[in-house]
Amino acid sequence: MAARHVIFIGRVQGVGFRFTALRMAQRHQLTGFVRNLPDGTVEMLTQGSAKDIDDCIQDIKEYFGDYLRDTRIQEIPTDPRYKDFRITF
């Protein structure tokens, strides 16, 4: 089990980013959350197998292509309180 904290930077709000990330995370059977941040970025915390997390992040990058300017990924400890993946506010 692995966990990653991800910040997506670019035109990521108002383009269906969170809903797409939710679908992709669920498809990869990940837990955690995705949410908009006040600075215009999107934060995602995701847990699951390292391969599934990496595949999900790659799927998001490919889907949003030119909308993304940068993606910051940090390894973090897993947190058992996340039982599913959801959009938070």
Side-chain angles (χ1 to χ4, degrees):
M1 183 83 135
R4 307 244 197 315
H5 179 254
V6 186
I7 300 292
F8 295 97
I9 301 165
R11 186 168 173 231
V12 293
Q13 292 189 16
V15 295
F17 193 95
R18 291 174 298 155
F19 296 100
T20 302
L22 171 69
R23 284 194 319 273
M24 291 180 178
Q26 290 173 334
R27 187 175 67 221
H28 289 285
Q29 300 178 349
L30 301 175
T31 62
F33 66 85
V34 63
R35 66 180 170 191
N36 288 342
L37 294 179
D39 66 359
T41 63
V42 171
E43 174 185 38
M44 184 169 80
L45 182 148
T46 187
Q47 301 182 139
S49 79
K51 180 182 179 348
D52 286 334
I53 293 171
D54 293 342
D55 289 349
C56 179
I57 293 169
Q58 186 60 39
D59 288 350
I60 292 169
K61 286 178 168 182
E62 288 175 9
Y63 187 88
F64 284 99
D66 292 339
Y67 287 100
L68 292 171
R69 282 187 325 222
D70 194 14
T71 305
R72 297 181 186 155
I73 304 169
Q74 178 182 12
E75 298 275 338
I76 59 172
T78 59
D79 186 336
R81 71 181 157 159
Y82 297 110
K83 305 291 184 200
D84 59 6
F85 195 92
R86 61 183 59 189
I87 296 171
T88 60
F89 300 92

